[in-house]
Amino acid sequence: MDLYEHQATELFAEHGIVVPRAEVTDSPGKAREIARRLGGRVLVKAQVKTGGRGKAGGVRLAADPAAAELTARHILGMDIKGHTVGKVMLAQPVDIEAEFYVSYVLDRASGRFLAIASAEGGMEIEQVAATRPEAVARVPVDPAEGVTSAEAAQITEAAGLPSQAVDVLVRLWEVLVREDALLVEVNPLVRTKEGRIMALDGKVTLDDNARFRQARWGAEDAAHGDALEAAAAAKGLNYVKLDGEVGIIGNGAGLVMSTLDVVAGCGARPANFLDIGGGASARTMADGLSVILSDPAVSSVLVNVFGGITACDAVADGIVQALDTVQLTKPLVVRLDGNNADRGRAILDERAHPLVQQATTMDGAARRAAELATAA
C-alpha cells in the first residue's frame, strides 16, 4: 500500500525527521486559511500516488493566501497520470542550499534491504541514475542488523552526503521497521541555507500483509482518488493502477511483472498490475475484468496465465463464466500455458466470443494486445 506524500511526511515527523510545516485540504477556501496560518507564501502540492506531479502542473508556488486559493482550485480535480487530485498539501517554502536523495527498498533477490543514496537529489534523480550510476551509492543492509549510526555513516560517506544525514538515515530505518514498510524514500532531502537537514517530500510503501496493523492509512483512498484501486481492494484483488492502455491479468507477481515489461517492449503501456494468484475462479476473473474495464484508459486486455496447481482449463472456465456476467467492451487477448493448456484453449474456442483472441506465447500475446490498443 502506497501512502500519500502528506501521510509519508507525517510518519517522518512522528519519527523525529524534520519536515516543513504543512496542512492538507480538499477545499480551495480552506487553502486560503491554511496559507494565512503558514505565513502567506506556500507551496501547493497535489496529493496523488504517482510521480511527475511537478511536470504535470500539480506543484505550484503561491505568493499569498488569495493565490493559494486560486492555485488549489486549479489543482483539485486535475488528472495526473490517471489519478484524480482529491486533496492538496500546502507547505511552507524552504530556502534550499543543496538537494540529496535517500531511500531504503526491499531487494527480494538477495533477501536484504538496499540503501540507495545520492548527493544529487531532486526531480532528475532518475536521469542521474541512468547516465551516471557512479553518482548513486547502493549499500546492502542486513535486516537482522539494521542501520546503526556506524552503518548510516558508511552510507553517507559512500554517497557523498553531509554528516548531518546520518541521523536521518537511522530514523528512516526506524520508519521502515516500525511501520511495516517495503520502501521509504526522501527526494529531496535538503540542507537549508540555515544548515538544517529536512525531508521535503516522501514516498512510503507499506507491506500489504501488515494492513491489519496499519489500518489508519487506508481510509483516504475510498474518498479521494484511486477509485479503481479502492474498488479492487474491496474485491480482494491485488491491483495497482498504472498509466497505460493495456489491461493486464496474470497469476503470480513474477509473471505479471514480466508481462508488464513485454507489453512495454511492444510499444504499449500497461494500464495496471493485477495478480490473481492461484485463484483464477469465475468470480475472480469477473471481478478482475470488471475493475480493468472500468478504467477508461484501457483499450485492450491481456490475460497471461501459466497453469500449475490451478490448471488452464479451470482458468478458461473462469473466463467463460466471467464473460456471462461482465459485458466485454474491449478486445481480450488470452495466453494459456502449462497444465491443461490445450484443454483451456479448446474451451475458449468453443465459447467463440467475438472480442476474445488467443495466443500461444507471451511475446505474441503482448504484441497482439499492444496492436489492438494502439489501433483503438
Side-chain angles (χ1 to χ4, degrees), residues 100-115:
F100 317 108
Y101 173 91
V102 296
S103 70
Y104 295 115
V105 62
L106 176 62
D107 182 0
R108 296 183 186 277
S110 67
R112 296 188 173 198
F113 282 88
L114 193 63

Side-chain angles (χ1 to χ4, degrees), residues 31-269:
R32 178 192 286 257
E33 298 173 11
I34 292 171
R36 188 177 295 112
R37 284 197 295 271
L38 295 178
R41 184 168 174 264
V42 292
L43 202 60
V44 185
K45 309 177 77 175
Q47 296 300 285
V48 287
K49 297 179 180 181
T50 187
R53 294 175 302 163
K55 293 179 179 179
V59 178
R60 301 187 181 191
L61 187 65
D64 53 48
E69 179 177 354
L70 290 174
T71 302
R73 192 178 302 280
H74 176 82
I75 293 177
L76 288 166
M78 281 181 63
D79 181 277
I80 300 178
K81 295 183 178 181
H83 297 258
T84 302
V85 180
K87 287 187 176 183
V88 292
M89 182 173 79
L90 290 86
Q92 283 185 326
V94 173
D95 289 330
I96 299 171
E97 183 178 78
E99 295 186 344
F100 317 108
Y101 173 91
V102 296
S103 70
Y104 295 115
V105 62
L106 176 62
D107 182 0
R108 296 183 186 277
S110 67
R112 296 188 173 198
F113 282 88
L114 193 63
I116 304 175
S118 175
E120 302 182 34
M123 292 179 63
E124 306 303 328
I125 184 63
E126 292 86 357
Q127 184 176 348
V128 171
T131 59
R132 291 187 298 107
E134 70 279 1
V136 180
R138 294 171 172 82
V139 181
V141 177
D142 187 333
E145 297 181 5
V147 177
T148 62
S149 294
E151 178 74 13
Q154 293 178 12
I155 297 169
T156 57
E157 182 178 355
L161 303 182
S163 59
Q164 302 100 306
V166 168
D167 182 64
V168 173
L169 286 169
V170 172
R171 293 178 185 274
L172 275 179
W173 181 256
E174 292 177 357
V175 172
L176 184 138
V177 173
R178 296 181 184 177
E179 306 298 336
D180 301 302
L182 301 176
L183 165 73
V184 293
E185 176 185 270
V186 180
N187 186 33
L189 179 73
V190 304
R191 182 175 58 223
T192 70
K193 292 183 178 179
E194 294 78 27
R196 302 181 76 196
I197 300 295
M198 301 181 70
L200 294 198
D201 198 348
K203 181 176 181 181
V204 174
T205 300
L206 304 181
D207 188 344
D208 281 338
N209 294 310
R211 279 180 179 267
F212 68 98
R213 284 197 296 262
Q214 305 296 339
R216 62 171 170 154
W217 302 115
E220 190 169 324
D221 283 338
H224 295 284
D226 296 322
L228 289 172
E229 291 188 359
K235 297 177 185 293
L237 297 172
N238 185 12
Y239 172 94
V240 178
K241 175 79 172 72
L242 302 175
D243 56 355
E245 59 280 339
V246 178
I248 306 291
I249 300 177
N251 64 328
L255 180 61
V256 178
M257 292 297 292
S258 297
T259 306
L260 302 184
D261 291 340
V262 175
V263 167
C266 292
R269 299 175 303 162

